[in-house]
Amino acid sequence: MAFSPANRKGTLSGIIFVAIFAAAATMLSNIEVIKSLGISPLVIGIVMGIFYANTLHNKIPSEWGTGITFSGKKILRFAIVFYGFRITFQQIAEVGMSGFMVSLIMLSSTFILGTYLGIKVFKMDRDTSMLTASGASVCGAAAVLATEPVLKSEEHKTAIAVSMVVLFGTISMFLYPVLYVTIIEPSTGFLHMTTQQFGIYVGGTIHEVAQVVAVPASIQGAPTDMANSAVIVKMTRVIMIAPLLIVLGIYLSMQAKKSGKEGSKVSLVIPWFAVYFIGMAGFNSLGIVPQNVVNIINEIDTFLLTMAMTALGMGTIFSKFRGLGLAPIYTALSMFIWLVIGGFIVTKLVTAIF
């Protein structure tokens, strides 16, 4: 046990060690240049953690390892639950059926496509494929972190998935404003989208929440309905991580039962933290908690997520990546192409119907 009398001191030291790294990552993310690029402290945290893992990891007491593991597992689940304070059911209702359907179609199709291509076409293992697909289909690094406990995967596989999210999410952040100005802009673009349609397209297809926020902000003269639609649709995708993980848990249980010995008992894998996440979002929807308190909760939650991401990076040693080759990049690139092109088509069709 992490907090048994024998391990307590080492565990606390490890947690404090991770928290120091997370605090540094948070400070770096607030530097103007980094902030303008939409790079979240989560991403900076994993980069710092990976750097430490491959340079200085032998310089600290081994007893601290339990604290690092605790930060990457237990603190993570706690932080995912309180991520629900970023969402209200009212926000989801505001965007209407079109935003909901775009979110649902893009999430499910991207996850299935990424998992299939990763396993069947590019010959990756199941966990890396599903983690990469989760990050692209839902909400980037946070979705990868939320999916990892359900799969019970190794830390380096989670780091690979996060790396793919960072790479293609960053490309999206710079690509979408260019697409809007050149070929999508309502009055001149030959692919023509209204500002609200483009907002739905952005929210339904870009990886990270911060990247979604950055796209309308980088388009000169972008109206508020573009930014609002983008964020609401994105948060609709975020809340869908809970049903996705529950369905995934049921699927994994069925697969385990199918491959196991006849008569063996297989427990149903339900990620309760995902259920609690929905409950927290529902509680937040009641408006009982003052907004200034919610803002403080969200800041603390971001720090806890940064700790989890940093701890993840600390368990990532490059030697574990050997043998994977370019398969993760091919898988993530395929999903990226689907999100950009398929997402445009889906958004146009759905908004025309609803």
Side-chain angles (χ1 to χ4, degrees), residues 148-338:
E148 186 271 334
V150 180
L151 295 174
K152 299 177 182 176
S153 64
E154 299 170 77
E155 291 175 338
H156 73 278
K157 295 177 181 179
T158 308
I160 292 168
V162 170
S163 300
M164 295 303 100
V165 165
V166 172
L167 174 61
F168 289 99
T170 302
I171 292 172
S172 298
M173 189 176 65
F174 291 104
L175 175 64
Y176 277 61
V178 174
L179 290 176
Y180 181 79
V181 172
T182 55
I183 59 176
I184 293 178
E185 203 274 332
S187 59
T188 59
F190 73 92
L191 290 180
H192 179 77
M193 270 185 163
T194 66
T195 53
Q196 186 181 46
Q197 280 180 318
F198 184 73
I200 293 172
Y201 172 48
V202 168
T205 58
I206 291 182
H207 300 61
E208 293 273 2
V209 175
Q211 293 160 350
V212 168
V213 173
V215 168
S218 63
I219 297 173
Q220 189 173 10
T224 55
D225 69 334
M226 180 192 292
N228 291 344
S229 297
V231 171
I232 291 169
V233 172
K234 181 61 187 175
M235 297 317 286
T236 304
R237 280 171 70 198
V238 170
I239 204 170
M240 285 181 180
I241 186 64
L244 172 66
L245 295 182
I246 292 169
V247 171
L248 182 59
I250 294 170
Y251 169 78
L252 293 174
S253 294
M254 291 173 62
Q255 289 295 104
K257 189 174 182 180
K258 188 176 178 181
S259 61
K261 294 179 180 179
E262 189 175 349
S264 61
K265 292 183 178 180
V266 179
S267 59
L268 178 62
V269 180
I270 296 178
W272 288 108
F273 66 91
V275 179
Y276 301 147
F277 165 81
I278 292 180
M280 198 63 71
F283 177 72
N284 187 42
S285 302
L286 300 175
I288 297 173
V289 182
Q291 188 57 48
N292 63 322
V293 176
V294 171
N295 292 339
I296 293 170
I297 291 171
N298 288 339
E299 286 183 18
I300 295 171
D301 189 58
T302 297
F303 183 77
L304 293 177
L305 284 170
T306 304
M307 283 184 65
M309 193 69 88
T310 302
L312 168 67
M314 288 178 172
T316 304
I317 299 173
F318 287 138
S319 60
K320 296 178 180 178
F321 288 79
R322 290 172 188 164
L324 277 171
L326 295 174
I329 293 179
Y330 291 151
T331 303
L333 175 61
S334 300
M335 288 188 288
F336 173 70
I337 292 170
W338 165 245

Side-chain angles (χ1 to χ4, degrees), residues 14-35:
I15 293 171
I16 293 170
F17 183 64
V18 173
I20 292 170
F21 268 71
T26 302
M27 292 173 65
L28 287 171
S29 72
N30 286 320
I31 296 174
E32 195 58 39
V33 175
I34 296 175
K35 197 172 184 178

Side-chain angles (χ1 to χ4, degrees), residues 51-242:
F51 176 80
Y52 155 81
N54 291 277
T55 54
L56 304 171
H57 71 280
N58 290 324
K59 304 295 183 183
I60 68 162
S62 59
E63 294 80 14
W64 293 13
T66 55
I68 295 173
T69 301
F70 183 88
S71 299
K73 303 288 185 183
K74 303 297 184 181
I75 288 179
L76 164 64
R77 297 186 188 197
F78 183 82
I80 292 295
V81 170
F82 279 86
Y83 201 84
F85 268 101
R86 300 168 193 263
I87 303 164
T88 65
F89 294 156
Q90 291 91 327
Q91 288 175 323
I92 296 170
E94 277 179 31
V95 81
M97 185 57 69
S98 59
F100 175 80
M101 289 305 298
V102 169
S103 298
L104 179 62
I105 292 169
M106 293 311 300
L107 184 149
S108 55
S109 62
T110 305
F111 185 82
I112 293 170
L113 175 68
T115 301
Y116 175 82
L117 290 177
I119 297 172
K120 300 294 185 181
V121 178
F122 301 119
K123 308 303 180 185
M124 284 199 302
D125 63 276
R126 183 201 70 179
D127 289 1
T128 306
S129 300
M130 286 187 170
L131 288 168
T132 306
S134 174
S137 62
V138 188
C139 56
V144 175
L145 287 173
T147 307
E148 186 271 334
V150 180
L151 295 174
K152 299 177 182 176
S153 64
E154 299 170 77
E155 291 175 338
H156 73 278
K157 295 177 181 179
T158 308
I160 292 168
V162 170
S163 300
M164 295 303 100
V165 165
V166 172
L167 174 61
F168 289 99
T170 302
I171 292 172
S172 298
M173 189 176 65
F174 291 104
L175 175 64
Y176 277 61
V178 174
L179 290 176
Y180 181 79
V181 172
T182 55
I183 59 176
I184 293 178
E185 203 274 332
S187 59
T188 59
F190 73 92
L191 290 180
H192 179 77
M193 270 185 163
T194 66
T195 53
Q196 186 181 46
Q197 280 180 318
F198 184 73
I200 293 172
Y201 172 48
V202 168
T205 58
I206 291 182
H207 300 61
E208 293 273 2
V209 175
Q211 293 160 350
V212 168
V213 173
V215 168
S218 63
I219 297 173
Q220 189 173 10
T224 55
D225 69 334
M226 180 192 292
N228 291 344
S229 297
V231 171
I232 291 169
V233 172
K234 181 61 187 175
M235 297 317 286
T236 304
R237 280 171 70 198
V238 170
I239 204 170
M240 285 181 180
I241 186 64

